């Protein structure tokens, strides 16, 4: 099976093939792209979320709309999508969650989009008014098999903080990350990745080489006890350090972490015990 991303029609929207794409989500034969408007080369009149063909020869279910800009992306209209920075799908559903970084006019938000019908789900919006929006960059959604139990985790929600959002309840909670006595707290967390083999979520920073993890079952237990709490303390475990600064983190199916080493332009793998 051959898979590739087609940029052939980006020019029809006035978008350069060299545009900065911060995230991608694939749905059948469509690839959804997050194109931040706050990048210096971006034009705020162009869409910040669009779909292009994903060439997968065994899958031609959906007709791509690469030559038609999506509605609902008017700059400075706070009811519209403003500044897509990260994308994540909610399980096997056709729902795509978008981390909207906002701008000087509008607050940061989580927005939902139906990838099958091609419409924004305005009723599924979570405003992130209490989160410093300037450095928002990463969102992940756990692969929860039970419908209605999905949680989104957002990095860089403050010093030693990660935001967890319960998508069915449209509610969020700040998680304060506390390390053990022999190691410092994580500080600013830029990168998140949820384990494929157990209940851990790994985290690190572009400013530090240290890699930590948090047990998601611990977060579940605390939420069940205090569902109305705005903030909760969670313990994190220090696993060690990467070989250098990294700008990407991804857990694999063999209990390892794959990260991008920015100093050497290399992809590394770390086996986690």
């Amino acid at each position: 099976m051959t898979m590739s991303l087609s940029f052939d029609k980006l020019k029809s929207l006035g978008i350069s093939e060299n545009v900065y794409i911060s995230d991608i989500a694939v749905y059948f034969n469509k690839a959804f792209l997050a194109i931040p408007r706050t990048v210096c080369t971006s034009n705020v009149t162009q869409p910040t979320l669009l779909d292009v063909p994903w060439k997968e020869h065994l899958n031609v279910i959906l007709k791509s709309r690469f030559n038609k800009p999506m509605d609902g992306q008017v700059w400075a209209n706070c009811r519209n999508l403003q500044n897509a920075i990260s994308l994540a799908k909610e399980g096997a559903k056709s729902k795509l969650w978008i981390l909207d970084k906002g701008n000087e006019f509008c607050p940061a938000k989580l927005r939902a989009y139906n990838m099958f019908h091609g419409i924004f789900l305005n009723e599924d919006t979570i405003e992130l008014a209490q989160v410093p929006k300037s450095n928002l960059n990463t969102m992940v959604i756990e692969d929860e098999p039970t419908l209605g139990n999905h949680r989104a985790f957002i990095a860089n929600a403050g010093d030693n903080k990660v935001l967890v959002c319960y998508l069915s309840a449209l509610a969020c909670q700040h998680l304060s990350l506390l390390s053990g006595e022999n190691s410092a707290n994580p500080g600013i967390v830029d990168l998140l990745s949820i384990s494929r083999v157990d209940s851990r979520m790994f985290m690190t920073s572009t400013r530090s080489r240290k890699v930590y993890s948090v047990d998601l079952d611990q977060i579940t237990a605390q939420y069940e006890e205090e569902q109305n709490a705005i903030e909760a303390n969670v313990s994190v475990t220090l696993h060690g350090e990467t070989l250098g600064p990294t700008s990407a983190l991804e857990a694999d199916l063999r209990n390892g972490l794959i990260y991008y080493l920015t100093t050497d332009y290399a992809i590394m793998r770390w086996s986690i015990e």
Side-chain angles (χ1 to χ4, degrees):
M1 181 170 62
T2 303
M3 295 180 289
S4 63
L5 187 63
S6 174
F7 292 101
D8 295 342
K9 300 298 181 178
L10 282 180
K11 289 184 179 179
S12 68
L13 298 176
I15 299 175
S16 168
E17 293 182 2
N18 296 320
V19 68
Y20 172 64
I21 298 170
S22 61
D23 209 349
I24 178 173
V26 175
Y27 180 68
F28 293 113
N29 63 325
K30 301 170 79 172
F32 291 82
L33 312 179
I35 303 177
R37 283 169 163 165
T38 47
V39 176
C40 59
T41 56
S42 295
N43 185 337
V44 297
T45 64
Q46 294 173 344
T48 183
L49 175 73
L50 56 86
D51 64 76
V52 297
W54 179 258
K55 295 181 179 179
E56 187 174 338
H57 297 320
L58 298 181
N59 198 335
V60 290
I61 296 175
L62 300 177
K63 182 179 179 181
S64 184
R65 302 186 305 115
F66 51 73
N67 59 349
K68 179 182 178 183
M70 297 177 182
D71 297 327
Q73 303 192 49
V74 178
W75 181 254
N77 182 338
C78 294
R79 299 184 65 180
N80 284 199
L81 183 66
Q82 296 298 298
N83 192 11
I85 193 73
S86 187
L87 309 173
K89 295 186 293 184
E90 183 179 334
K93 297 168 65 176
S94 61
K95 184 181 287 187
L96 177 71
W97 286 91
I98 308 155
L99 177 56
D100 183 351
K101 193 174 181 178
N103 50 37
E104 63 268 35
F105 309 103
C106 307
K109 297 178 181 178
L110 275 186
R111 298 285 310 274
Y113 183 84
N114 187 305
M115 295 180 287
F116 185 83
H117 294 290
I119 57 173
F120 286 99
L121 304 173
N122 293 325
E123 67 277 11
D124 289 341
T125 299
I126 305 174
E127 187 170 310
L128 308 177
Q130 304 303 318
V131 178
K133 61 185 178 182
S134 59
N135 295 317
L136 288 176
N137 62 347
T138 302
M139 169 186 59
V140 295
I141 295 178
E142 63 182 328
D143 189 16
E144 168 59 54
T146 305
L147 293 178
N149 286 350
H150 288 85
R151 296 178 292 189
F153 295 89
I154 300 174
N156 219 326
D159 194 24
N160 292 312
K161 292 185 186 297
V162 167
L163 195 68
V164 54
C165 295
Y166 298 85
L167 300 180
S168 61
L170 300 179
C172 299
Q173 185 181 63
H174 283 85
L175 301 177
S176 294
L177 310 174
L178 304 178
S179 188
E181 296 180 359
N182 297 325
S183 60
N185 291 333
I188 297 295
V189 173
D190 297 299
L191 305 172
L192 301 172
S193 184
I194 296 175
S195 172
R196 306 286 188 90
V197 298
D198 55 36
S199 64
R200 291 179 296 180
M201 180 173 68
F202 297 97
M203 58 191 72
T204 189
S205 170
T206 57
R207 306 162 179 80
S208 170
R209 295 167 51 187
K210 291 183 171 63
V211 175
Y212 297 83
S213 72
V214 61
D215 187 348
L216 298 182
D217 289 341
Q218 175 192 174
I219 299 172
T220 301
Q222 289 185 329
Y223 182 71
E224 289 175 350
E225 291 180 3
E226 297 183 74
Q227 295 190 12
N228 295 323
I230 299 176
E231 188 166 327
N233 295 330
V234 294
S235 300
V236 297
T237 300
L238 175 64
H239 291 276
E241 298 186 357
T242 60
L243 296 177
T246 180
S247 62
L249 188 70
E250 184 70 25
D252 66 19
L253 292 170
R254 295 187 298 154
N255 201 25
L257 282 177
I258 298 171
Y259 62 93
Y260 181 69
L261 195 61
T262 55
T263 52
D264 295 83
Y265 305 103
I267 297 174
M268 311 297 294
R269 185 182 184 276
W270 179 1
S271 181
I272 301 293
E273 298 298 333

